[in-house]
């Protein structure tokens, strides 16, 4: 077996002597015509720095920032993130990420090469030679959304159990009806992996039911900067066996089974992905990672699974005003869906797994008050992605339905084995048609009627507790009903985050401004329980206008 036993170096671009001599002080853009990859070189006298032209947020391309007079900053074309190339630090959002630098090697001919240093692949540590698998020995059962059950010999492992209730407040609901025995499956699990804190992966309604029957089930998460279970104590749910493990290190479960959690290159503080290996056969689950493990992933794995759908963000559906017309939104969504399809198709082709399964996109904006979102926020279809992959590769693709079972051993031996995928009997219910809305919406209504909201002081107390400040942004918060109409006797107030004050009118100084109209029941539920604002934004619970139209990175808890 060929191994990566040490650090390697890859030349990404060679710049010839005449191009080097022509470098301008400040920012210079380059493109490798053979690979199509883009790069930035910054020149300050005799000092050169270089990086990929790739934004860490969602992989957008940088262009010159027209507000930059010193030729030091670039602006991402996707969400207006700004990078100071002279320091390789992002300045919007402030105090966030650093850009990885490329090594600059000077040649004898006065040309230079941009070199990327590649550390050894952690999954190549202590390599295992794949062993033959018996029928039924390694099986994967799809339950719903991002939840898979893995049978690995006599051991059962479950990924990201969201199997009941909503996610992101009341914005997301399960598309598929999970198997009726889902709770029994969770209770028999030997280990559960939860990739990150978003509620379509870390589902407290699901874990509440599990904890009532088996609170000691072993749960594993990555040791992220923002702890996955930050809310556990306040949730009141009793789970007693949560394990946060370091990245890039094999966790040995038994003689034949081990797993390794890896971080996301774009959101290392939060997102993770996982490699599970059984008898030398690897299963790669990239989950929601935008750039899993910085783009360095194992090839020729037995099974790969990843998200596919898109439409999982509040942008642009919750925005209005300015360019955000219905036509603009429609064209943007269409273009983003196409980009995502192209990216996933190319990624699968490059990694060349034996079997690929798109998952983690089977949700629906089911509540009647979100009809507009459901009809407009179109998503990619898993079968369409699989069809495209089949056109450009020999990868076996699986479009799962709840309860379907994939027998990995059988398909590895014979990709044409029709019994390698066992489908549920005809007539089995696939799509949900009821979601028990009242149970969860009533809880939010109760929160919104809490006595604290009878006093205007809650606004100051909440934002002071949240602690976000020293940022030149003014936000107007407006409480609305479910249809985003002004709420009678609702709160309408300003927050100036430069000094965390609450002015009666907008300040006269130049400042970024946002108007956020929010369903009062959901906003107050978030405030009372100290929840993430992701519930508001990703959950489609807001209408937002901003001036200027630039991205603001806020951690509000």
């Amino acid at each position: 077996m060929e191994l990566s036993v040490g650090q390697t170096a890859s030349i990404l671009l060679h710049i010839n002597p005449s191009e080097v001599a022509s470098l301008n002080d400040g920012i210079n853009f380059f493109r490798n015509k053979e690979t199509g990859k883009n790069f930035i070189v910054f020149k300050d006298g005799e000092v050169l720095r270089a990086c990929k032209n790739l934004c860490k947020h969602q992989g957008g391309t940088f262009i010159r920032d027209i507000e930059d007079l010193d030729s030091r900053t670039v602006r991402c074309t996707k969400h207006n993130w700004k990078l100071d190339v002279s320091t390789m630090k992002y300045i919007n959002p402030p105090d966030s990420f650093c850009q990885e630098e490329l090594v600059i090697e000077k040649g004898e001919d006065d040309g230079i090469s941009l070199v990327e240093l590649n550390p050894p692949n952690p999954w190549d540590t202590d390599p295992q030679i794949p062993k033959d698998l018996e029928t039924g020995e390694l099986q994967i059962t799809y339950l719903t959304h991002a939840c898979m059950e893995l049978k690995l010999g006599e051991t059962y492992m479950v990924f990201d159990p969201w199997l009941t209730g909503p996610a992101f407040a009341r914005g997301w609901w399960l598309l598929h009806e999970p198997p009726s025995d889902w709770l029994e499956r969770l209770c028999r699990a030997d280990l559960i992996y939860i990739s990150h804190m978003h509620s379509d992966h870390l589902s407290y309604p699901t874990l509440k039911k599990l904890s009532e029957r088996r609170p000691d089930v072993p749960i594993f998460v990555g040791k992220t900067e923002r702890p996955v279970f930050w809310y556990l104590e306040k949730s009141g749910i009793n789970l007693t066996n949560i394990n946060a493990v370091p990245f890039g290190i094999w966790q040995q479960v038994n003689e034949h089974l081990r797993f390794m959690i890896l971080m996301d290159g774009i959101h290392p503080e939060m997102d993770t992905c996982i490699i599970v290996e059984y008898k030398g056969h690897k299963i790669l689950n990239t989950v929601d990672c935008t750039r899993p493990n910085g783009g360095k992933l194992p090839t020729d794995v037995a099974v790969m699974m990843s998200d596919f759908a898109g439409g999982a963000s509040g942008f642009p559906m919750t925005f209005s005003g300015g360019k955000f017309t219905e036509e603009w939104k429609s064209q943007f969504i269409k273009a983003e869906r196409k980009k995502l399809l192209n990216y996933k198709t190319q990624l699968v082709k490059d990694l060349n797994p034996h079997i690929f399964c798109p998952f983690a996109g089977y949700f629906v904006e089911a509540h009647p008050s979100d009809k507009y979102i459901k009809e407009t926020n179109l998503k990619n279809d898993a079968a369409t992605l699989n069809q495209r992959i089949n056109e450009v590769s020999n990868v076996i693709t699986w479009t799962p339905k709840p309860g379907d079972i994939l027998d990995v051993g059988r398909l590895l031996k014979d990709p044409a084995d029709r019994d390698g995928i066992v489908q549920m009997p005809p007539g089995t219910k696939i799509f949900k048609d009821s979601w028990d809305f009242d149970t969860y919406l009533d809880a939010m209504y109760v929160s919104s009627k809490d006595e604290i909201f009878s006093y205007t002081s809650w606004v100051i107390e909440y934002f002071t507790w949240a602690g976000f400040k020293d940022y030149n942004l003014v936000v107007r918060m407006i409480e609305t009903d479910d249809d985003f109409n002004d709420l009678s006797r609702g709160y309408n107030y300003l927050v100036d985050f430069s000094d965390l004050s609450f002015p009666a009118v907008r300040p006269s100084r130049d400042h970024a401004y946002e108007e956020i109209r929010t369903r009062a029941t959901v906003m107050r539920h978030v405030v009372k329980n100290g929840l993430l604002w992701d519930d508001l934004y990703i959950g489609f619970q807001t209408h937002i206008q901003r001036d200027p139209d630039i991205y603001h990175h806020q951690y509000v808890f």
Side-chain angles (χ1 to χ4, degrees):
M1 180 180 293
E2 183 178 347
L3 301 178
S4 298
V5 295
Q7 179 172 273
T8 61
S10 303
I11 297 177
L12 304 182
L13 179 70
H14 180 74
I15 302 175
N16 64 47
S18 62
E19 292 174 318
V20 173
S22 300
L23 286 172
N24 297 314
D25 279 338
I27 296 164
N28 300 266
F29 293 98
F30 288 91
R31 180 180 180 85
N32 186 323
K33 295 179 180 179
E34 294 182 358
T35 65
K37 304 298 184 182
N38 298 307
F39 304 92
I40 302 173
V41 176
F42 177 79
K43 183 175 184 290
D44 183 8
E46 298 300 316
V47 177
L48 298 178
R49 306 183 78 163
C51 66
K52 294 180 181 179
N53 188 342
L54 191 73
C55 180
K56 292 197 72 167
H57 181 218
Q58 288 190 357
T61 300
F62 287 112
I63 60 174
R64 293 187 185 277
D65 180 10
I66 60 174
E67 298 177 352
D68 174 35
L69 301 180
D70 298 323
S71 191
R72 291 178 176 270
T73 64
V74 290
R75 176 176 59 83
C76 178
T77 54
K78 270 197 169 184
H79 300 107
N80 291 311
W81 281 40
K82 292 186 179 183
L83 171 68
D84 184 339
V85 191
S86 70
T87 63
M88 293 296 173
K89 293 182 179 180
Y90 285 82
I91 56 175
N92 178 34
D95 302 323
S96 54
F97 305 123
C98 291
Q99 188 83 339
E100 286 82 5
E101 288 193 63
L102 300 174
V103 175
I104 297 178
E105 290 188 352
K106 294 184 178 180
E108 294 181 359
D109 62 353
D110 292 329
I112 61 173
S113 295
L114 307 188
V115 179
E116 182 176 41
L117 300 181
N118 302 305
N121 297 321
W123 52 85
D124 286 335
T125 303
D126 185 23
Q128 305 292 308
I129 297 175
K131 298 179 180 179
D132 289 340
L133 298 171
E134 300 295 329
T135 297
E137 185 177 5
L138 176 50
Q139 294 181 328
I140 302 175
T141 302
Y142 171 69
L143 301 184
T144 187
H145 190 58
C147 186
M148 291 283 193
E149 179 192 64
L150 280 60
K151 179 180 181 294
L152 306 138
E154 300 302 317
T155 303
Y156 287 90
M157 183 177 190
V158 174
F159 294 155
D160 286 337
W162 171 32
L163 292 149
T164 190
F168 297 109
R170 43 171 284 188
W172 293 29
W173 303 82
L174 290 168
L175 177 68
H176 288 151
E177 186 73 52
S180 59
D181 63 345
W182 65 261
L183 185 54
E184 287 71 23
R185 290 173 181 266
L186 290 190
C187 289
R188 78 176 180 187
D190 296 287
L191 59 160
I192 293 174
Y193 161 68
I194 295 179
S195 60
H196 61 292
M197 66 174 69
H198 280 161
S199 50
D200 59 322
H201 300 265
L202 173 63
S203 167
Y204 279 104
T206 302
L207 294 179
K208 183 175 187 298
K209 291 183 177 295
L210 172 61
S211 67
E212 290 168 354
R213 293 181 50 175
R214 193 183 166 199
D216 63 342
V217 61
I219 297 176
F220 291 85
V221 298
K223 199 169 186 179
T224 48
E225 179 184 342
R226 301 174 71 188
V228 174
F229 277 96
W230 66 277
Y231 185 70
L232 180 63
E233 183 176 348
K234 190 165 184 178
S235 74
I237 294 174
N238 182 34
L239 292 170
T240 62
N241 196 357
I242 295 172
N243 307 271
V245 301
F247 294 113
I249 298 175
W250 283 120
Q251 307 296 317
Q252 199 73 39
V253 179
N254 56 44
E255 178 185 0
H256 300 300
L257 175 62
R258 60 186 181 175
F259 68 90
M260 174 185 294
I261 298 177
L262 301 169
M263 68 172 64
D264 183 27
I266 304 299
H267 298 290
E269 82 288 356
M270 183 178 75
D271 277 351
T272 73
C273 55
I274 190 170
I275 301 171
V276 177
E277 184 176 77
Y278 176 76
K279 286 190 175 182
H281 300 277
K282 293 182 178 67
I283 297 170
L284 170 65
N285 175 10
T286 62
V287 205
D288 286 355
C289 288
T290 306
R291 191 166 173 77
N293 197 44
K296 298 178 177 66
L297 296 169
T299 58
D300 297 318
V301 299
V303 181
M304 174 185 173
M305 54 188 78
S306 80
D307 64 334
F308 69 95
S313 167
F315 187 89
M317 296 309 306
T318 61
F319 283 76
S320 59
K323 69 182 180 184
F324 296 108
T325 64
E326 294 306 302
E327 176 62 22
W328 189 93
K329 290 181 184 180
S330 175
Q331 293 302 315
F332 179 88
I333 292 169
K334 182 179 179 180
E336 290 298 301
R337 288 173 58 203
K338 183 177 179 180
K339 288 180 187 176
L340 184 59
L341 276 178
N342 291 339
Y343 168 68
K344 292 297 180 181
T345 301
Q346 188 63 47
L347 181 63
V348 173
K349 181 181 178 182
D350 291 343
L351 295 180
N352 194 36
H354 292 275
I355 304 163
F356 172 73
C357 173
F359 82 150
Y362 301 106
F363 71 94
V364 62
E365 303 88 345
H367 193 272
S369 64
D370 291 329
K371 181 181 178 182
Y372 162 73
I373 301 292
K374 179 181 178 182
E375 293 178 348
T376 309
N377 189 36
L378 303 179
K379 306 171 187 66
N380 287 329
D381 177 71
T384 300
L385 173 58
N386 280 342
Q387 180 180 353
R388 294 188 58 170
I389 291 170
N390 294 150
E391 292 171 354
V392 298
S393 74
N394 294 319
V395 173
I396 302 168
T397 55
W398 177 34
T399 306
K401 297 182 178 61
D404 285 357
I405 302 171
L406 183 144
D407 192 312
V408 178
R410 294 187 70 146
L411 286 177
L412 291 180
K413 290 177 182 177
D414 181 6
D417 187 345
R418 297 183 63 181
D419 293 324
I421 299 176
V422 179
Q423 297 181 335
M424 293 303 291
T428 301
K429 187 176 182 180
I430 296 174
F431 297 103
K432 291 186 72 69
D433 53 20
S434 63
W435 291 269
D436 192 17
F437 294 133
D438 291 345
T439 295
Y440 302 97
L441 270 65
D442 287 350
M444 294 179 191
Y445 179 79
V446 170
S447 291
S448 72
K449 295 301 180 183
D450 193 282
E451 185 180 1
I452 63 171
F453 298 111
S454 300
Y455 308 95
T456 58
S457 59
W458 75 262
V459 174
I460 297 174
E461 291 176 6
Y462 172 68
F463 285 95
T464 301
W465 166 80
F468 180 74
K469 61 181 179 179
D470 300 324
Y471 189 80
N472 190 26
L473 172 68
V474 177
V475 172
R476 178 173 291 280
M477 302 294 301
I478 303 172
E479 291 189 327
T480 74
D481 61 17
D482 279 3
D483 297 319
F484 295 102
N485 298 312
D486 286 4
L487 185 68
S488 175
R489 299 183 180 179
Y491 287 94
N492 182 327
Y493 55 92
L494 290 165
V495 185
D496 186 343
F497 288 105
S498 66
D499 57 2
L500 202 54
S501 60
F502 305 87
V505 296
R506 282 181 59 180
S508 58
R509 71 173 195 279
D510 288 338
H511 60 270
Y513 176 74
E514 286 189 10
E515 179 182 284
I516 304 177
R517 304 174 63 84
T518 310
R519 287 170 171 159
T521 53
V522 182
M523 179 64 188
R524 295 185 185 185
H525 181 72
V526 166
V527 168
K528 181 185 175 184
N529 294 284
L531 300 174
L532 297 174
W533 275 36
D534 288 354
D535 285 350
L536 302 175
Y537 174 59
I538 303 178
F540 310 111
Q541 301 302 303
T542 60
H543 280 184
I544 300 172
Q545 294 188 48
R546 58 190 183 189
D547 179 27
D549 180 25
I550 61 172
Y551 179 87
H552 298 287
H553 193 69
Q554 303 170 42
Y555 287 131
V556 181
F557 293 86

